[in-house]
Amino acid sequence: QLKLVNPSQYRFEHLVTQMKWRLQEGRGEAVYQIGVEDNGLLVGLSEEEMRASLKTLRRMAEKVGADITVLREREVDYDSDVPRKITEVLVRKVPDNQQFLDLRVAVLGNVDSGKSTLLGVLTQGELDNGRGRARLNLFRHLHEIQSGRTSSISFEILGFNSKGEVVNYSDSRTAEEICESSSKMITFIDLAGHHKYLKTTIFGLTSYCPDFAMLVVSANTGIAGTTREHLGLAMALKVPFFIVISKVDLCSKATVERTVKQLERILKQPGCNKLPLLVNSDDDAVTAAQQFAQSPNITPIFTLSSVSGENLDLLKVFLNILPPLTNSKEQEELMQQLTEFQVDEIYTVPEVGTVVGGTLSSGICREGENLVVGPTDDGKFLRLKVCSIQRNRSACRVLRAGQAATLALGPFDRSLLRKGMVMVSPEMNPTICSVFEAEIVLLFHATTFRKGFQVTVHVGNVRQTAIVEKIHGKDKLRTGEKAVVRFRFIKHPEYLKVGAKLLFREGVTKGIGHVTDLQAITAKENGLEESLGPGQLSF
């Protein structure tokens, strides 16, 4: 927008309507640049005009029920004696019906690079003491506290309110309060860095469908251990990532610069083709957030310290402005499909019964809805009822596509459930299979890869050992070769979809690909009717 000085009533209404539409497109967020012509020419406004324009923008935002924050101001060299400025403003709408923007960020990096500590500092709001105090609240098991290593997947939340201020546990808030006062929530998925827990890390990346990944590299060790592998995983699964270099308080400037150079060299390699963008100021952070969402080739790099707090604010600015990847139109299309919920975690909660955690990949799920869950070991689907839904530890009535939540299933028998199952609406008639074909690329293998080889296959939230039954057109595969391969699950059938991304591993063998064909066994043939008794299929 060039300027918004004292518009007429009609023009004001028009501007408000336009703002409403923009907020809806950006799922509750929009960035306005004031002092820029429609064709992108940077004209700039004088002090008075800018003040009047911001006043109008505030009036517009109030009318829509949104808040505005000034992201940055810049002076422009335009032929005039008066200094002229451009201002960028973030407009964020206070969410109706608790529809906050929800972004999921997976946290990757080598063991001891400072992932859990960084999350502790961001979500607890106090700096680390240099001995790992900040991360104690993140650990889920006793052995993690003793060894200081994360072995399970934990979730941490960081909120931003509509004015762009950080909402975290610092003011002794509970998780429910954070959800209530935030208009944007960032869920960090803290994954394990140690090689031993690689399968947990892969599961976290494939089943929780993160929007972005944050790769943490320690400044004093540089790129070591599993860093490259995690970088490769993020690229193979096409998750856009940004990099945080931590522990800069421990090193000299030269060491930090060496680590940055090392990263830039790797990112510019032909395999990566990324454009590194080092963030040194608030201005850079704003640019990085906008560029990063538009082109996945940009990789912002932050250098910060969880102990001294240096540059921590830049990361917060970046996370605050980071827009969601899908726009509202794509989400609505997903919501119109049939319900499908991926089961990633299973708990038993006293007085509630069985609870499952996971992500709703399509459709809408409401409290009290009847769904079927499966496939069981013999390929059946069982009926169940959703008793209540929680998102980020606060109750919620309706779950929409793409959101993660926990569903309480009441007295349903926990032993019938396992990770990798799906809960779908009964009319979907889901297809399950034991044999499937996939087009794969063998990333690394010590000898040759041939028929009869056993690998662990990860597809979304499914992970199971499978046998290679046939390699089309070849006897064996070597590192770097492509082929279509037929796999057979050895234990039980699974619910898969054509086109789903696939990762497999066995010791040092690794490969990626996508599912191309399924040999389906429909659930009906497999006795959905018997398990329900005859004539009960019409719900």
Side-chain angles (χ1 to χ4, degrees):
Q1 302 287 334
L2 181 55
K3 51 183 172 185
L4 309 161
V5 185
N6 297 336
S8 62
Q9 188 57 36
Y10 172 73
R11 167 103 176 115
F12 181 71
E13 291 297 334
H14 172 72
L15 285 168
V16 169
T17 314
Q18 191 182 18
M19 182 184 268
K20 266 190 192 158
W21 184 80
R22 282 204 177 147
L23 284 170
Q24 196 187 343
E25 265 295 274
R27 287 168 71 174
E29 285 185 323
V31 175
Y32 273 76
Q33 292 173 327
I34 300 176
V36 181
E37 279 201 18
D38 288 346
N39 58 9
L41 190 66
L42 306 175
V43 183
L45 300 180
S46 65
E47 195 68 40
E48 268 164 52
E49 290 180 319
M50 187 54 86
R51 216 178 297 125
S53 297
L54 284 173
K55 195 175 149 195
T56 311
L57 198 60
R58 274 204 184 86
R59 268 178 55 209
M60 283 158 58
E62 268 169 31
K63 185 112 190 204
V64 190
D67 283 316
I68 73 172
T69 5
V70 175
L71 292 179
R72 53 180 174 178
E73 288 186 337
R74 269 205 191 147
E75 294 210 347
V76 218
D77 312 328
Y78 202 67
D79 313 331
S80 74
D81 314 333
V82 201
R84 287 173 162 267
K85 279 187 180 163
I86 296 177
T87 310
E88 272 193 36
V89 184
L90 176 70
V91 183
R92 183 175 285 164
K93 188 165 174 355
V94 189
D96 326 332
N97 68 23
Q98 271 300 301
Q99 256 296 68
F100 45 77
L101 278 161
D102 193 14
L103 290 184
R104 283 190 293 252
V105 178
V107 185
L108 300 168
N110 191 27
V111 61
D112 303 338
S113 62
K115 300 184 290 297
S116 300
T117 299
L118 172 63
L119 292 193
V121 170
L122 283 173
T123 58
Q124 313 291 334
E126 55 181 59
L127 295 171
D128 189 50
N129 60 359
R131 290 192 204 83
R133 190 179 68 194
R135 65 179 183 206
L136 288 180
N137 300 339
L138 273 75
F139 286 152
R140 287 172 58 169
H141 300 295
L142 183 64
H143 68 250
E144 296 180 332
I145 293 176
Q146 287 161 350
S147 69
R149 302 230 163 117
T150 309
S151 68
S152 59
I153 300 173
S154 68
F155 294 93
E156 286 308 309
I157 52 178
L158 175 68
F160 289 97
N161 63 16
S162 46
K163 296 190 179 65
E165 297 153 352
V166 173
V167 184
N168 56 18
Y169 292 113
S170 58
D171 310 337
S172 70
R173 295 190 184 89
T174 58
E176 290 84 11
E177 284 167 51
I178 295 183
C179 291
E180 274 163 26
S181 44
S182 309
S183 54
K184 176 174 196 169
M185 295 279 303
I186 296 192
T187 308
F188 289 106
I189 306 167
D190 187 15
L191 301 172
H194 200 280
H195 222 309
K196 183 166 115 186
Y197 304 121
L198 185 70
K199 71 167 196 177
T200 309
T201 305
I202 294 181
F203 184 75
L205 270 177
T206 51
S207 71
Y208 294 117
C209 331
D211 299 301
F212 302 104
M214 170 162 87
L215 184 71
V216 183
V217 179
S218 139
N220 51 6
T221 53
I223 296 175
T226 43
T227 308
R228 280 180 193 204
E229 205 154 323
H230 285 179
L231 192 80
L233 279 179
M235 294 196 52
L237 294 167
K238 298 195 169 53
V239 180
F241 59 93
F242 56 96
I243 296 179
V244 171
I245 298 177
S246 65
K247 306 194 187 183
V248 296
D249 56 301
L250 292 179
C251 325
S252 61
K253 267 211 163 114
T255 318
V256 178
E257 277 169 16
R258 197 177 71 220
T259 306
V260 171
K261 287 220 165 65
Q262 193 185 6
L263 273 168
E264 288 182 336
R265 198 164 58 242
I266 280 195
L267 290 171
K268 286 176 180 167
Q269 280 174 357
C272 277
N273 282 338
K274 300 281 184 199
L275 239 156
L277 176 63
L278 191 62
V279 177
N280 291 320
S281 62
D282 279 358
D283 218 35
D284 293 348
V286 175
T287 314
Q290 292 172 355
Q291 294 295 328
F292 182 51
Q294 284 161 9
S295 83
N297 287 349
I298 302 257
T299 302
I301 301 179
F302 296 86
T303 51
L304 52 82
S305 158
S306 306
V307 177
S308 66
E310 182 187 336
N311 287 352
L312 209 56
D313 291 349
L314 299 185
L315 182 61
K316 288 179 184 165
V317 167
F318 173 78
L319 291 170
N320 177 30
I321 306 167
L322 202 58
L325 280 181
T326 53
N327 53 20
S328 45
K329 205 154 66 215
E330 288 171 28
Q331 198 200 10
E332 272 167 20
E333 280 170 13
L334 272 176
M335 277 160 53
Q336 281 157 9
Q337 296 170 11
L338 291 170
T339 308
E340 180 188 321
F341 181 86
Q342 293 188 350
V343 179
D344 300 335
E345 297 265 0
I346 302 158
Y347 320 95
T348 305
V349 180
E351 296 178 14
V352 180
T354 306
V355 173
V356 293
T359 314
L360 188 69
S361 39
S362 62
I364 290 180
C365 178
R366 293 185 176 79
E367 276 185 13
E369 195 157 340
N370 289 310
L371 299 173
V372 293
V373 67
T376 53
D377 291 353
D378 48 5
K380 294 191 175 118
F381 276 75
L382 310 167
R383 293 208 289 184
L384 52 79
K385 184 178 176 181
V386 178
C387 301
S388 64
I389 304 176
Q390 276 201 340
R391 273 190 77 199
N392 286 341
R393 306 187 185 103
S394 53
C396 126
R397 298 226 170 277
V398 182
L399 190 61
R400 294 174 170 80
Q403 297 177 343
T406 51
L407 312 182
L409 307 177
F412 193 81
D413 181 2
R414 175 184 173 161
S415 60
L416 296 170
L417 295 170
R418 60 182 166 79
K419 287 184 184 182
M421 283 188 161
V422 284
M423 289 164 52
V424 292
S425 58
E427 58 262 32
M428 194 177 206
N429 192 12
T431 52
I432 53 176
C433 67
S434 288
V435 179
F436 66 97
E437 293 191 350
E439 186 178 318
I440 62 161
V441 181
L442 200 58
L443 296 182
F444 181 76
H445 188 44
T447 54
T448 50
F449 178 86
R450 57 179 55 164
K451 190 178 154 188
F453 201 75
Q454 289 197 4
V455 290
T456 306
V457 175
H458 292 258
V459 188
N461 63 343
V462 168
R463 64 170 174 205
Q464 204 193 130
T465 307
I467 295 184
V468 176
E469 284 209 327
K470 186 179 179 189
I471 303 176
H472 290 284
K474 289 181 183 167
D475 294 337
K476 51 193 181 190
L477 276 186
R478 294 183 187 279
T479 302
E481 293 188 334
K482 243 188 187 178
V484 176
V485 174
R486 188 183 324 144
F487 290 101
R488 174 186 290 277
F489 284 127
I490 64 173
K491 285 223 299 262
H492 37 240
E494 297 279 12
Y495 172 82
L496 295 181
K497 279 183 166 166
V498 174
K501 292 195 196 89
L502 165 132
L503 271 164
F504 60 87
R505 56 180 180 82
E506 175 53 53
V508 288
T509 305
K510 289 187 190 66
I512 54 171
H514 59 270
V515 179
T516 52
D517 186 35
L518 309 173
Q519 291 189 12
I521 326 164
T522 58
K524 266 194 185 153
E525 297 167 21
N526 239 8
L528 179 65
E529 292 165 28
E530 294 129 56
S531 67
L532 303 174
Q536 280 191 331
L537 249 174
S538 49
F539 286 97

